[in-house]
Amino acid sequence: QVQLAESGGGLVQAGGSLRLSCVNSGSSFYGYVMGWFRQAPGQRREFIAAITWAARNTRYADSVKGRFTISRDDGENTVYLQMNSLKPEDTALYYCAADRTLTAVPSIRASTYDAWGQGTQVTVSA
């Protein structure tokens, strides 16, 4: 069973960058799809990005395409989210999630993911 913990959040000015990390301290996430979601106060959890095993395929929400990059280091059991050109509307609690489904097309549905971290806060000031 994977156990996920996010880090790297913080306060940044608009136009700045942050790199989020998600470390798995449980069993290997061999074969897992890994995803990032975010949730702002009073809003639904929103898909941001996902990456399949061995980084063969990635998928992004339109709102972050071209600004965010997801990557994974399976040897280090870590997934990353590089966030550039941040905007105030990117402010949210960011979650890492794992999906055991063997697939070439990562899911954008939160209900598909089996394990979640506690989240890391990202705040972007205008």
Side-chain angles (χ1 to χ4, degrees), residues 15-91:
S17 298
L18 283 174
R19 189 193 196 200
L20 305 184
S21 298
C22 171
V23 177
N24 169 32
S25 60
S27 58
S28 170
F29 55 37
Y30 175 87
Y32 280 63
V33 171
M34 299 302 297
W36 286 96
F37 290 75
R38 68 187 180 189
Q39 189 167 19
Q43 297 188 21
R44 295 175 61 184
R45 193 163 294 190
E46 174 190 17
F47 169 79
I48 296 301
I51 188 167
T52 57
W53 169 248
R56 294 186 185 279
N57 291 303
T58 57
R59 192 172 184 182
Y60 295 93
D62 288 343
S63 59
V64 306
K65 202 172 294 183
R67 299 189 298 123
F68 291 11
T69 303
I70 188 171
S71 61
R72 64 191 292 167
D73 184 336
D74 292 314
E76 295 294 326
N77 263 353
T78 303
V79 179
Y80 303 98
L81 186 68
Q82 178 66 43
M83 306 187 296
N84 299 327
S85 303
L86 283 161
K87 305 175 182 180
E89 51 264 44
D90 294 319
T91 295

Side-chain angles (χ1 to χ4, degrees), residues 90-104:
D90 294 319
T91 295
L93 189 61
Y94 282 69
Y95 296 93
C96 172
D99 173 10
R100 292 176 292 181
T101 307
L102 287 176
T103 178

